[in-house]
Amino acid sequence: ITMSDVPETLIKKGRFDQRTEEERAEERKQRRIANKAIRKEAFNRAKNYEQQYETDFRNVLRCKRSARESGAFYVEAEPKVAFVIRIRGIRGVSPKVRKILQLLRLYQVHNGVFVKLNKASKEMLRMVEPFIAYGYPSLAAVRALVYKRGFVRVNGQRIPLVDNDVIRNHFTREGLVCVEDLVNQLYTCGEHFKKVNKFFWTFYLSSPKGGFTYKLRHFVEGGDFGNRE
């Protein structure tokens, strides 16, 4: 078969396919280079966060040690973030309490959310205290919640947090690129805490092993509800 026997449309299609394949190969190459740079940046950020956490921890230990040696007391800074879990249903709940639980995004039993502590939020927690249990999460607890139970809101849908691309596309203006950025914002109550917290879907938790002790009694009285610190 000579070149003249091949239809011109097939010749053009072959050239187009060849050019398209070359463009795809170049796109894949550029994508690999970009992903490598993103992974390196995420690793460096996680490393810097670890150094920051270690420095803060050592500073607290040094202050406690110096206060003990001088016969004084060292009072740590008040926590900025609490993790709140709903432990009771809506039976017999007043409209005001029900509205506060709705504002906190605690729609069902065993739902959990991060809450920034200020005067208003503390008053809200006080009003719904018989229906919730809360405490101040450690770094390990925040990481476990984000990595194991983390679902995010994308276009109104609940999707698992398994890819940093979702974070990078959602927080382009804030400059957050990886999961450790979100952990840092939640743990330290960073400047983007509100948007990061809203980005996460309400955490769906399981009931405690062995069940609750007594939901109608405060934690300090041997029950379950209220501040557990």
Side-chain angles (χ1 to χ4, degrees):
I1 300 176
T2 60
M3 184 63 68
S4 60
D5 296 331
V6 180
E8 186 178 355
T9 55
L10 293 180
I11 297 176
K12 291 182 178 180
K13 185 177 184 302
R15 292 173 181 171
F16 177 78
D17 292 342
Q18 182 180 4
R19 185 171 63 251
T20 303
E21 183 61 31
E22 292 175 354
E23 292 175 354
R24 291 175 181 172
E26 182 65 24
E27 289 178 0
R28 287 194 295 267
K29 181 180 179 182
Q30 296 298 330
R31 196 181 302 118
R32 284 195 298 269
I33 295 175
N35 289 338
K36 185 177 180 181
I38 291 171
R39 287 195 301 270
K40 184 177 181 180
E41 182 182 2
F43 175 80
N44 291 333
R45 289 196 179 196
K47 185 178 180 181
N48 293 335
Y49 289 144
E50 283 295 331
Q51 293 176 353
Q52 175 187 343
Y53 301 145
E54 183 67 20
T55 301
D56 295 341
F57 178 72
R58 291 185 179 277
N59 288 338
V60 172
L61 285 182
R62 186 172 59 254
C63 292
K64 287 183 177 180
R65 189 178 298 114
S66 61
R68 185 170 60 250
E69 291 175 353
S70 61
F73 294 96
Y74 173 74
V75 180
E76 296 187 38
E78 291 188 0
K80 300 179 181 179
V81 178
F83 188 74
V84 185
I85 304 172
R86 181 170 177 173
I87 63 173
R88 288 177 58 187
I90 61 173
R91 185 175 180 180
V93 177
S94 66
K96 180 179 291 187
V97 171
R98 186 177 302 180
K99 183 62 176 179
I100 293 176
L101 292 173
Q102 181 182 353
L103 292 175
L104 293 174
R105 298 189 297 155
L106 299 173
Y107 305 109
Q108 300 173 348
V109 177
H110 301 147
N111 281 176
V113 292
F114 290 96
V115 176
K116 182 178 180 180
L117 294 177
N118 51 38
K119 184 177 180 181
S121 63
K122 288 180 180 179
E123 183 65 20
M124 292 170 65
L125 294 179
R126 187 189 64 80
M127 296 184 68
V128 298
E129 197 170 48
F131 302 89
I132 61 173
Y134 65 97
Y136 313 126
S138 63
L139 176 60
V142 175
R143 275 189 178 145
L145 286 167
V146 171
Y147 280 98
K148 295 181 180 180
R149 302 277 183 169
F151 284 78
V152 296
R153 189 188 310 272
V154 177
N155 297 326
Q157 295 182 339
R158 180 177 181 262
I159 64 172
L161 184 60
V162 296
D163 194 355
N164 285 333
D165 290 339
V166 178
I167 302 172
R168 190 168 59 255
N169 295 334
H170 190 81
F171 295 100
T172 53
R173 191 174 298 178
E174 291 78 11
L176 307 180
V177 299
C178 62
V179 179
E180 283 299 323
D181 287 333
L182 305 186
V183 172
N184 178 260
Q185 291 293 320
L186 293 175
Y187 177 62
T188 63
C189 193
E191 58 177 327
H192 306 302
F193 174 86
K194 184 177 180 179
K195 187 171 182 178
V196 170
N197 193 29
K198 190 177 180 180
F199 179 56
F200 276 98
W201 203 277
T202 302
F203 290 89
Y204 292 170
L205 306 177
S206 303
S207 58
K209 188 175 182 180
F212 289 105
T213 304
Y214 190 49
K215 292 183 179 181
L216 302 180
R217 187 177 296 168
H218 198 283
F219 180 71
V220 297
E221 299 173 346
D224 293 309
F225 76 79
N227 192 348
R228 303 177 72 91
E229 296 296 329

